[in-house]
């Protein structure tokens, strides 16, 4: 609703100014360049797409347009939890600390080629309609690191005994986000649209569009690699109890037990390929700030 309100407001402001200056003539130019920046994402998070566009005016009505866009976003989140049994028994207790850090990386690339027919203008307003097609790629990756630490104290026989263990797990994700909410996409799209440009001063204009978008593409299979190790700390000595690795690329899990070699294992498991083709049809509004200049 906010996006539609933005579009209607822009049009009404333009019509009001046009009524005050009906004799304004649109610039007679050959090439226009513009930058488009979306201050909002579809879910109102920080992921934004900026685009550079160029227009080649074949004449006053027929225009060829080209666009390229790039969006990049990185974010980090931390979770911490502590379980402490000291209030129950001050002589025999365990403190468990859990720490988890997640890093998400997102990027998007878009390229398009299209045609515009500028069918009407009223002073400062220039109305057009057209179609375009192009490619859109969305790319994701991330890292999740978790540490589980146990600090224990026992005093059963009157002798205080302290021990500590740390289990660290690092998981690297490729072609997907760590929470499995997004996977890499390769899409081809086509748009039919109508739009309006409002010329602020000479060749300087702002504008927006409303249209229908058709998209077909494929989500690829995301992969991840886990590396897990448990360490025991006694005094100044640190012992690596065991190490485990797993990769969805190979489906092989390897467990190496440094305390008991009889527990060493190598197993294979089936990894599901979730690649899928998808098709979408939707109405869109550009809530972007499109600022351009015609030469």
């Amino acid at each position: 609703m906010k996006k539609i309100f933005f579009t209607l407001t822009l049009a009404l402001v333009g019509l009001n100014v046009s009524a005050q200056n009906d004799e304004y003539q649109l610039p007679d130019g050959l090439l226009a360049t513009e930058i488009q920046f979306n201050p909002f994402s579809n879910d109102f998070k920080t992921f934004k797409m900026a685009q550079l566009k160029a227009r080649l005016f074949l004449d006053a009505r027929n225009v060829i347009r080209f666009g390229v866009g790039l969006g990049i976003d990185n974010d980090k989140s931390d979770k911490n939890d502590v379980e402490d049994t000291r209030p129950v028994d001050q002589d025999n207790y365990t403190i468990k600390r859990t720490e988890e850090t997640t890093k998400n990386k997102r990027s998007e690339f878009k390229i398009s080629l299209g045609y515009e027919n500028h069918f009407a203008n009223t002073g400062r307003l220039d109305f057009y309609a057209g179609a375009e097609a192009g490619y859109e790629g969305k790319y994701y990756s991330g890292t999740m690191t978790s540490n589980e630490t146990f600090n224990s104290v026992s005093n059963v026989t009157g002798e205080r005994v302290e021990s500590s263990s740390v289990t660290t797990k690092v998981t690297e994700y490729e072609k997907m986000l760590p929470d499995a909410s997004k996977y890499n996409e390769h899409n081809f799209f086509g748009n039919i649209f109508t739009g309006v440009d409002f010329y602020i001063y000479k060749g300087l204009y702002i504008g927006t569009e409303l249209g229908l978008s058709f998209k077909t593409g494929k989500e690829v299979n995301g992969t991840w690699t886990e590396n897990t190790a448990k360490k025991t700390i006694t005094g100044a000595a640190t012992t690596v109890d065991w190490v485990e690795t797993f990769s969805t690329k190979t489906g092989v899990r390897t467990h190496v037990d440094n305390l008991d070699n009889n527990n060493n294992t190598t197993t294979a498991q089936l990894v599901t390929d979730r690649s899928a083709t998808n098709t979408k049809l939707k109405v869109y509004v550009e809530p972007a700030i499109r600022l351009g200049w015609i030469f």
Side-chain angles (χ1 to χ4, degrees):
M1 182 64 69
K2 291 182 178 179
K3 297 179 180 180
I4 297 175
F5 179 76
F6 175 89
T7 307
L8 293 176
T9 301
L10 177 63
L12 289 174
V13 170
L15 287 171
N16 183 57
V17 175
S18 175
Q20 299 176 17
N21 189 358
D22 292 333
E23 297 181 356
Y24 182 86
Q25 296 297 316
L26 297 180
D28 182 15
L30 177 64
L31 180 68
T33 58
E34 65 181 57
I35 184 170
Q36 172 179 302
F37 183 75
N38 189 347
F40 310 103
S41 62
N42 291 333
D43 52 7
F44 294 94
K45 294 183 179 179
T46 58
F47 189 43
K48 306 177 181 70
M49 168 71 86
Q51 293 191 64
L52 294 174
K53 288 187 177 181
R55 285 166 154 175
L56 178 62
F57 286 77
L58 304 179
D59 52 44
R61 293 178 59 92
N62 301 294
V63 177
I64 301 296
R65 72 190 224 173
F66 171 79
V68 60
L70 179 66
I72 298 175
D73 177 54
N74 298 323
D75 64 72
K76 176 183 175 182
S77 63
D78 296 294
K79 295 181 181 179
N80 299 284
D81 186 48
V82 178
E83 298 177 18
D84 193 344
T85 63
R86 280 180 295 184
V88 178
D89 189 344
Q90 292 290 326
D91 294 322
N92 299 277
Y93 62 84
T94 300
I95 302 174
K96 176 184 176 183
R97 291 185 174 88
T98 304
E99 301 170 314
E100 183 179 275
T101 299
T102 302
K103 296 180 180 179
N104 298 312
K105 297 180 180 179
R106 308 175 181 88
S107 60
E108 182 174 347
F109 174 74
K110 184 176 182 180
I111 187 169
S112 62
L113 180 66
Y115 166 77
E116 299 174 2
N117 181 276
H118 290 242
F119 56 86
N121 65 75
T122 56
R124 295 179 182 270
L125 287 176
D126 185 21
F127 295 90
Y128 62 90
E132 68 178 353
Y135 165 81
E136 179 186 60
K138 297 182 179 182
Y139 314 99
Y140 306 95
S141 63
T143 304
M144 183 180 291
T145 303
S146 63
N147 291 292
E148 190 175 72
T149 305
F150 286 90
N151 294 311
S152 300
V153 172
S154 62
N155 195 9
V156 178
T157 61
E159 181 181 355
R160 181 184 176 89
V161 179
E162 297 183 11
S163 63
S164 178
S165 67
V166 180
T167 302
T168 301
K169 179 177 175 182
V170 179
T171 309
E172 298 283 348
Y173 294 86
E174 298 180 10
K175 303 177 183 178
M176 64 182 293
L177 290 181
D179 63 359
S181 62
K182 298 287 186 180
Y183 295 82
N184 278 18
E185 295 182 33
H186 300 284
N187 299 305
F188 293 95
F189 66 88
N191 298 333
I192 56 174
F193 53 82
T194 184
V196 58
D197 294 328
F198 170 60
Y199 282 81
I200 304 171
Y201 175 74
K202 293 184 177 179
L204 184 65
Y205 66 88
I206 58 174
T208 191
E209 289 180 4
L210 170 68
L212 187 66
S213 176
F214 173 81
K215 182 186 297 184
T216 182
K218 186 175 184 179
E219 282 188 346
V220 305
N221 198 42
T223 61
W224 67 90
T225 301
E226 296 176 355
N227 292 283
T228 312
K230 181 182 179 183
K231 298 179 181 180
T232 299
I233 303 170
T234 306
T238 301
T239 303
V240 179
D241 297 352
W242 53 264
V243 175
E244 186 174 275
T245 61
F246 172 69
S247 174
T248 59
K249 295 179 181 179
T250 61
V252 175
R253 185 182 298 274
T254 302
H255 181 93
V256 178
D257 196 323
N258 296 322
L259 302 179
D260 184 358
N261 291 331
N262 292 326
N263 290 333
N264 294 345
T265 58
T266 298
T267 58
Q269 64 186 70
L270 180 65
V271 179
T272 303
D273 187 346
R274 62 164 311 283
S275 300
T277 301
N278 55 74
T279 301
K280 301 175 183 177
L281 183 67
K282 66 177 183 179
V283 175
Y284 72 94
V285 177
E286 288 187 4
I289 300 171
R290 291 174 53 235
L291 184 62
W293 181 268
I294 184 170
F295 298 90

